[in-house]
Amino acid sequence: MSKQFVQNKYNAGDIVYAKVNPRLELVIRRYIDQIYYCKVKDDPERKELVYFERELVKNP
């Protein structure tokens, strides 16, 4: 039985949108243990948001 290597869908620096709030532009900061850490694009003072891949979309 072999394991398949699955690469993450988005890379650091990519612009994405959350399915629950598609008007909010997010920038992927890092990807660790199947979780994406994102910053809000126009508000760097805001806390970092975390999402699973299934919760993000490339275009709203």
Side-chain angles (χ1 to χ4, degrees):
M1 191 184 286
S2 67
K3 285 188 173 183
Q4 281 187 327
F5 177 73
V6 180
Q7 190 176 14
N8 53 329
K9 188 174 181 179
Y10 306 111
N11 297 316
D14 286 353
I15 305 292
V16 295
Y17 303 87
K19 288 181 181 179
V20 294
N21 190 0
R23 294 180 187 196
L24 190 61
E25 262 188 314
L26 304 170
V27 179
I28 303 289
R29 195 176 69 78
R30 64 190 317 184
Y31 174 78
I32 298 174
D33 294 331
Q34 300 179 356
I35 297 175
Y36 288 92
Y37 294 84
C38 307
K39 292 294 277 182
V40 178
K41 185 176 180 185
D42 296 329
D43 193 1
E45 296 298 317
R46 233 171 131 174
K47 286 188 175 182
E48 197 169 69
L49 302 170
V50 294
Y51 294 100
F52 289 108
E53 188 173 294
R54 65 181 174 267
E55 298 174 312
L56 297 172
V57 292
K58 193 72 166 170
N59 297 319

